[in-house]
Every structure is written in structure tokens, then in C-alpha cells.
Amino acid sequence: MLKQRELRTIVVVGSSLAGLRACETLRQEGFAGEIALIGAEAEIPYDRPPLSKKVLAGEWDADRIRLRKPDDFAGLALDLRLGSAAVALDVAARVVTLADGSKLPFDGLVIATGATPRRLPGQPDLDGVVELRTLANSIALRDRIADGAARVTVIGAGFIGLEVAATARQRGCVVTVLEGAAAPLIRGLGAEMGTAVAAVHTRHGVDLRCGVSVAGIEGDGTCVTGVRLADGYFVESDVVVVGVGVAPATQWLAESGLLLGDGIVCDATLQTSAPGIYAAGDCARWPNAVFAGFDDEEMRIEHWTNAAEQGAAAARNMLAVARGETPTPYESVPFFWSDQFDSRIQFVGRAHGGDEIHVFAGDLSGDFAALYGFAGRLRGVLAVNMPRLVMPFRALIAAHATWSEALEKAEQRA
Ligand SMILES: Cc1cc2nc3c(=O)[nH]c(=O)nc-3n(C[C@H](O)[C@H](O)[C@H](O)COP(=O)(O)OP(=O)(O)OC[C@H]3O[C@@H](n4cnc5c(N)ncnc54)[C@H](O)[C@@H]3O)c2cc1C
């Protein structure tokens, strides 16, 4: 166990939401030693959700989404190293190596490197084939769709793909979404809900093609020309957005000896397999005791609230252990939102395709709220444009409410 006197230098790798929250919490909790914050991107930390919404729509500029104003960084007294990725971690020597060759020794380390977009097998590097994860990606795509004349094809009807489709359509573009499953979001939310989300898009003129298989992206050698489907159909496109999910950004840890497995494997307190090294945000996998007894207790979450909460929790636990105190398990009910056209989708908890679903307010053709249950317990709540009906259930899920308790509460609320 680390002793307090040994915790002089803390390195935080990943200068986005989870990493910045870790730094802020370390200072709020009174840590006065050195903190180095390492970022692969040269940008001052910024918020990602607007990248597929207000920034892509051209309504907000980059300054509007900074997580902290450039001048505010002085108060945190960070050794801020932006534009140079960490490329290696030596757990035994307790040193992080950066791409520019510098070596940073640490007593404590928080890894918050997030996630990076997956590529399609054989994806060609053509002008017009894009992904959306960074501010640079968003600005480049914004410029391509700004005049509303582009034919935009989105591969993958996940949340980000659907948000891009909605924003591009609202700018006047011709938009096609290609999805392999029978409806969007089936694995996460089930077929009924996926169909309801699909209806929102088709109502707004998105050509949503589900149950299709992409054979390949085609081009003229320089620029993309379209997407070929397995049945031979060709979707002519000026822009192809590949939105087929993300993978945890852990390649740089491959030789470190840290336990990895679809994310950095952590214990309940967010400590990795090495003492004094913690992980937080999209890259972290940990057992979430709220969901003990379900089939998905160990999880990795790719949502804003989780990254913010975990960055703070990892920092607090690192300091607690250093003080000789008992660290606190990170137990939380995940929450996310997504804006698509005039629909604000909000979700608390977890859900899987086969869960029991009970719509308790509204109906699936418009705004609604629904419970998700599994093994006799409440597991999640989904609402479209009914914010009042979501958050009260967060506490109920945390309290391991039974399905019948949830039904009763839903009846009172509706
Ligand atoms: C377009 C878009 C829209 C979204 N919309 C929503 C939404 O509506 N609601 C919601 O709940 N969530 C949304 N999210 C998800 C949310 O933004 C993420 O869950 C959150 O950003 C995760 O924060 P993080 O700090 O864990 O990782 P990230 O934000 O991915 O940050 C990781 C940082 O680490 C850096 N990094 C990676 N590798 C290295 C390395 N080796 N060395 C140094 N630095 C490195 C990266 O460059 C990056 O800056 C959205 C995400 C995107 C991309």
C-alpha cells in the first residue's frame, strides 16, 4: 500500500473529461504535489457530446465547449502536456513514456485514455470517409455538410451515428443510414424501442435501411463515391460516416502487464491490477455492485456522467489509500442522454435486448417512458421527451428495487 509521503507526483494520462475531473478532485481534496496531465490531442480539454449536436450543426464554436477556460488552468497548477501521447507504461519502474521521448516518473497514475472509433474491415482511406470522436473530426464534418448539398451515408445506427444523421438531415442533406440489425439500438434497448427510434428518423426523411450488410466503401481513387451493399445496391455518397462503435484506447498499455480485457480491468475501487494505478471513464472496466445478481455486473460504460464521476472517484480513492484509509467502491447507476431531431432520449440503468419492457407513460408512436426488468428486478428506465420520469428511478435501481415495486412507482408517477 502507498504511504502518503510516497505520493508526491501523480500522472494523469488522457486530457479529457475523466482525466480533468481526476486533476480537479486531487486539488479539491488537498493534494499539493505535482500533477502532470498528458493529452494526445493538442486541444485544451473539451466536451464531446456537442460534437454530434450543436458543433456539428454550426451553432456552437470550439470555445463554447471547453471544459475549463484556458486561464482557469493556472488554478490547478498542472504540468499540462498536450499534443504528445503516452506510448508506454513501465509498472515496475513507475514511469510513463511519451511519444516525444520524455519519461515521467510517478507515484500515482490515473489512466483516462477513453476510446477510439473502430474501423470497418478493409476500410479505404478516401477523402470523404470520416469518423466522429474529436473536435477536429466534428469541424471537418460540419464543413462538409454546411451547405446541405452533401449526400451523407452513415454506417451504423448507434447513438452517435443517429445523432449525426439527425444533424445532417436538419442541415438539409440527403441522409442514408445503414444498419445490420433489424432496427437501430436493438442490442441495447430491444426491438420495440429500436423501432420507435427508427420511426423518428424516417418521419424526418432519413432513409434508414436496417438488416443490410455493407460490402465495402468505394471511391474514384481519391474521393469516396458511395457504399456498396452485399446485395449489390450502391448508395451514392459524398460523405460516408463510419459509426460502428469504439474500442477502449489501451494499445499503448499492451506491453505494460496491466490486466486488459475490453478495457482496463479494475477492482471495485477503480484500481487496476497494479497498486496505485487507477483507470476511469470510457477505458475502464469494473464490477459495479449496483448490478450484482444480474448477468452484467462487470461493465465498461461509454457515457459522459460515468466518465465525470469515475475521474473524481479514482482520484479520491488514490488519495484515500495513500492516507491509509479504506477506498470506496465506485457504485453507480449509469445515465445517458441523446438528442435526435426533436427527441431527447434519456436512459438510466442498464438494458439488454431480451429484458422485460413495460411502457408506463405515453406511447411508442410519440413521447413515452418505459421500465426495463430482468430477473424480477428493475434494471433500467428509458424516456423520450419525459425528463421528469427518468431520474426518480435512478435511486430505485440503486436500491435494487423489485419489478413489482418499480411497476407501483411507475403507476404513481405516470
Ligand atoms: C460525438 C460524441 C457524442 C457524444 N454524446 C454523448 C451524449 O449525448 N451523452 C452521453 O452521455 N455521452 C455522450 N458521448 C460520450 C462521452 O463524450 C464520453 O463517454 C466521454 O467523453 C468519455 O470521457 P473520457 O475522458 O473517458 O474519454 P475521452 O473523452 O475519449 O478522452 C480520452 C482522451 O485521452 C486521449 N488519449 C488517448 N490515448 C492517449 C494516450 N496514449 N496518451 C495521451 N492521451 C491519450 C484522447 O486523445 C482523449 O483526449 C459522446 C461522445 C462522442 C464522441
Side-chain angles (χ1 to χ4, degrees):
M1 192 183 283
L2 283 173
K3 295 286 175 311
Q4 188 172 22
R5 60 189 163 74
E6 290 170 343
L7 202 55
R8 290 189 211 102
T9 303
I10 297 175
V11 170
V12 178
V13 183
S15 59
S16 185
L17 181 59
L20 184 60
R21 286 288 186 271
C23 296
E24 290 169 342
T25 305
L26 289 168
R27 290 301 185 219
Q28 281 158 13
E29 298 280 316
F31 178 71
E34 281 176 39
I35 306 175
L37 177 60
I38 315 303
E41 294 176 74
E43 296 282 348
I44 295 284
Y46 60 86
D47 216 11
R48 284 178 213 278
L51 299 182
S52 49
K53 308 174 185 80
K54 298 286 189 192
V55 172
L56 191 60
E59 294 171 26
W60 289 6
D61 64 13
D63 288 341
R64 179 97 185 246
I65 63 165
R66 299 293 170 201
L67 288 169
R68 234 182 145 91
K69 294 202 175 66
D71 295 348
D72 290 349
F73 276 91
L76 289 176
L78 302 178
D79 174 8
L80 190 56
R81 297 186 184 221
L82 300 177
S84 190
V87 291
L89 166 64
D90 186 332
V91 170
R94 299 187 91 70
V95 171
V96 170
T97 303
L98 304 191
D100 64 11
S102 46
K103 292 191 178 296
L104 302 183
F106 63 84
D107 303 310
L109 174 67
V110 179
I111 303 172
T113 44
T116 46
R118 291 184 199 276
R119 288 172 68 92
L120 288 169
Q123 183 177 316
D125 288 319
L126 292 165
D127 186 51
V129 179
V130 302
E131 59 193 25
L132 182 53
R133 183 75 193 176
T134 65
L135 177 58
N137 295 154
S138 179
I139 288 172
L141 181 55
R142 177 197 71 189
D143 293 346
R144 287 181 190 273
I145 65 173
D147 62 5
R151 294 163 301 174
V152 178
T153 299
V154 179
I155 302 179
F159 281 108
I160 292 177
L162 290 173
E163 288 188 351
V164 170
T167 305
R169 187 73 198 111
Q170 282 169 317
R171 301 212 86 175
C173 297
V174 170
V175 179
T176 307
V177 177
L178 304 173
E179 167 60 42
L185 310 169
I186 277 192
R187 254 176 305 143
L189 301 183
E192 248 183 314
M193 301 303 160
T195 305
V197 173
V200 171
H201 284 261
T202 46
R203 225 173 21 240
H204 286 88
V206 172
D207 182 4
L208 177 58
R209 293 170 180 244
C210 294
V212 298
S213 172
V214 169
I217 299 173
E218 297 183 7
D220 61 9
T222 312
C223 296
V224 71
T225 53
V227 180
R228 178 77 60 192
L229 302 184
D231 64 5
Y233 187 82
F234 187 66
V235 186
E236 288 184 18
S237 323
D238 305 303
V239 182
V240 174
V241 183
V242 180
V244 292
V246 293
T250 55
Q251 300 88 327
W252 70 284
L253 298 167
E255 307 295 317
S256 69
L258 281 190
L259 201 54
L260 304 174
D262 185 37
I264 302 163
V265 178
C266 299
D267 67 14
T269 72
L270 301 176
Q271 183 170 254
T272 68
S273 54
I277 301 180
Y278 289 77
D282 283 14
C283 67
R285 163 174 290 278
W286 90 110
N288 185 349
V290 171
F291 295 87
F294 286 135
D295 52 354
D296 63 347
E297 179 181 356
E298 196 182 299
M299 55 185 74
R300 187 175 67 76
I301 300 285
E302 295 167 357
H303 303 314
W304 194 97
T305 309
N306 178 71
E309 289 179 357
Q310 283 195 341
R316 259 187 241 112
N317 281 341
M318 179 188 287
L319 294 179
V321 170
R323 290 185 196 116
E325 297 164 6
T326 307
T328 309
Y330 176 72
E331 296 173 11
S332 184
V333 178
F335 163 72
F336 74 84
W337 75 95
S338 174
D339 296 330
Q340 298 169 29
F341 296 106
D342 43 11
S343 296
R344 165 151 283 210
I345 299 170
Q346 291 172 304
F347 190 87
V348 286
R350 304 272 286 168
H352 296 286
D355 286 358
E356 186 163 353
I357 296 177
H358 173 70
V359 178
F360 66 93
D363 65 81
L364 296 182
S365 63
D367 302 341
F368 66 90
L371 305 177
Y372 283 70
F374 181 74
R377 265 169 66 189
L378 176 66
R379 171 141 80 174
V381 177
L382 170 75
V384 176
N385 292 335
M386 291 195 167
R388 261 186 340 102
L389 297 184
V390 183
M391 281 313 182
F393 289 93
R394 209 176 179 205
L396 216 59
I397 296 168
H400 292 199
T402 64
W403 185 239
S404 48
E405 285 165 347
L407 290 172
E408 199 178 309
K409 173 92 168 178
E411 211 162 285
Q412 290 162 7
R413 286 252 152 206

